[in-house]
Amino acid sequence: MDDIPLSAQFIALGILLLISAVFSIAETSMMALNRYRLKALARLGNRGAIITTELLARTDRLLGVILLGNNLVNAAAAVLLSVITVHLFGASEIALGLGTLVVTFLILVFSEITPKVVGAAYAEKIALPLAFVLKPLLRALYPVVWFVNLFVQALLWLLRLKPASTAENKMTPDELRTLVLEAGNYIPKKHQSILLNLFDLESITVDDVMTPRNQIEAIDIDAAPEILRQQIATAYHRRLPVYQGQPDNIIGIILLRKVLAVGEDGDISAAELRKIMREPYFVPSGTPLFTQLQQFQEHQDRLCFVVDEYGELMGLLTLEDIVEELIGEFAT
């Protein structure tokens, strides 16, 4: 390199440090990407996101090509600075030692720390465009990367280490809850509250939100017609439980709109109520609220009675109770 002008050597050193910085930015930005944001962009057809997803599917290859290029460039920069040092100060041990310190400082500041900070701060803006460069570079250097990875895989096998597959990195409910809590700038507060309540449906049981049996509004099938007429006329609900003898002995449910149809003449009898009465639906105590929501959907029902292990009535649960648990009270 003695024939190369000193100015050209300094320019080459700057170019090498710049290339090393690009590799460092690429490594940090790729690893710092929000994978869920990336998947969303890929589903929307963003070409850069699609290529980045393909690259991240094989992290060993991606890191292989980035680190291969970065280390080659850093080694070349160290050799070039040694040549410059010899050219300026001679081949003394002190000069070479100082040159080593200088090249270490330059690589740390300009090729490692600063680029990595920038890459982490602007991961998405940097990683997606760089994916268009890294993909053809990986194709060109694939034989070298494959050869290096053979030794990596052998070393991991000797150490009995098995890297987790990206497909196995599923989010736990607690991680998902944290994600919703930290997404305050993107999710309205009301929507955030609904999502958090949704996570709790599996831990909350029907016992926590049901109407206790002493607060259930019901009618006695054996009551006099005028009493039945008065109870139905003053009812606050569209569905009324019907019991016989004791309030715990629920025998059915009536819909008020059907009662109005059969009682147009003003006479409501027990026999007529039995004709329009629906079978009661009972669920065991301790049923998770989310499970009960699914059962309401399967049974195409909106009301059930909660009983204990002995069949004793504990309370009443409606679909509206579950909805209010999600979004808050909306009606009396």
Side-chain angles (χ1 to χ4, degrees):
M1 293 187 179
D2 293 338
D3 298 334
I4 302 176
L6 188 60
S7 59
Q9 293 180 14
F10 276 109
I11 293 174
L13 178 62
I15 293 174
L16 289 175
L17 292 176
L18 179 61
I19 295 173
S20 178
V22 172
F23 278 117
S24 293
I25 287 179
E27 177 189 357
T28 306
S29 61
M30 285 288 181
M31 296 301 105
L33 274 174
N34 185 322
R35 303 301 173 90
Y36 301 98
R37 164 78 175 164
L38 183 64
K39 289 179 180 178
L41 290 174
R43 282 196 297 267
L44 292 175
N46 186 297
R47 184 61 182 166
I50 294 173
I51 296 175
T52 305
T53 302
E54 294 173 358
L55 292 173
L56 288 173
R58 289 300 303 268
T59 310
D60 55 340
R61 296 178 182 176
L62 175 62
L63 290 178
V65 69
I66 292 175
L67 295 177
L68 175 64
N70 199 16
N71 282 283
L72 283 175
V73 172
N74 286 341
V79 172
L80 183 57
L81 189 61
S82 298
V83 172
I84 294 173
T85 302
V86 171
H87 185 81
L88 291 175
F89 306 106
S92 66
E93 294 181 355
I94 296 177
L96 291 174
L98 291 175
T100 302
L101 292 177
V102 170
V103 74
T104 302
F105 174 80
L106 291 176
I107 290 175
L108 277 177
V109 174
F110 297 103
S111 300
E112 292 294 335
I113 298 176
T114 304
K116 289 185 185 303
V117 172
V118 174
Y122 304 97
E124 185 178 317
K125 293 181 179 179
I126 295 174
L128 300 190
L130 279 179
F132 292 97
V133 178
L134 290 174
K135 186 174 182 180
L137 186 62
L138 177 59
R139 288 179 178 175
L141 298 177
Y142 180 75
V144 181
V145 174
W146 174 82
F147 182 73
V148 172
N149 279 339
L150 283 181
F151 293 91
V152 174
Q153 296 298 329
L155 182 59
L156 291 175
W157 180 81
L158 288 174
L159 296 175
R160 298 294 188 269
L161 296 177
K162 185 178 180 181
S165 171
T166 54
E168 297 175 359
N169 295 330
K170 303 296 184 180
M171 291 191 73
T172 64
D174 289 336
E175 291 171 338
L176 192 56
R177 179 190 297 272
T178 303
L179 185 64
V180 172
L181 286 171
E182 293 181 350
N185 296 331
Y186 304 98
I187 304 177
K189 285 293 183 182
K190 187 62 178 178
H191 297 177
Q192 191 179 53
S193 175
I194 293 174
L195 288 173
L196 292 175
N197 290 337
L198 184 61
F199 298 147
D200 292 331
L201 284 188
E202 196 63 41
S203 59
I204 299 176
T205 66
V206 293
D207 308 59
D208 299 319
V209 298
M210 69 180 183
T211 302
R213 63 180 180 182
N214 59 345
Q215 297 180 19
I216 297 176
E217 182 182 11
I219 59 175
D220 185 1
I221 194 73
D222 294 331
E226 56 271 14
I227 296 178
L228 289 175
R229 189 184 311 112
Q230 181 183 5
Q231 288 180 324
I232 292 172
T234 58
Y236 287 100
H237 305 92
R238 291 173 295 174
R239 294 172 177 80
L240 281 179
V242 180
Y243 67 90
Q244 187 171 23
Q246 298 295 327
D248 291 350
N249 184 28
I250 301 295
I251 61 172
I253 302 169
I254 60 170
L255 301 179
L256 290 189
R257 58 183 177 83
K258 292 188 176 181
V259 176
L260 294 175
V262 301
E264 291 179 349
D265 56 355
D267 185 21
I268 300 176
S269 64
E272 291 172 334
L273 290 180
R274 289 183 183 275
K275 292 179 182 179
I276 62 173
M277 192 168 60
R278 296 173 54 184
E279 289 289 329
Y281 170 34
F282 298 97
V283 299
S285 170
T287 302
L289 212 56
F290 185 73
T291 302
Q292 185 53 47
L293 181 62
Q294 292 176 310
Q295 291 179 0
F296 274 147
Q297 187 177 28
E298 293 172 3
H299 288 83
Q300 296 185 348
D301 211 332
R302 304 168 64 94
L303 183 149
C304 67
F305 298 95
V306 182
V307 295
D308 60 17
E309 63 270 25
Y310 304 107
E312 295 292 330
L313 180 66
M314 295 181 61
L316 177 147
L317 180 75
T318 66
L319 179 61
E320 287 78 7
D321 294 328
I322 301 179
V323 173
E324 288 185 353
E325 190 66 24
L326 282 174
I327 66 175
E329 294 189 4
F330 58 89
T332 57

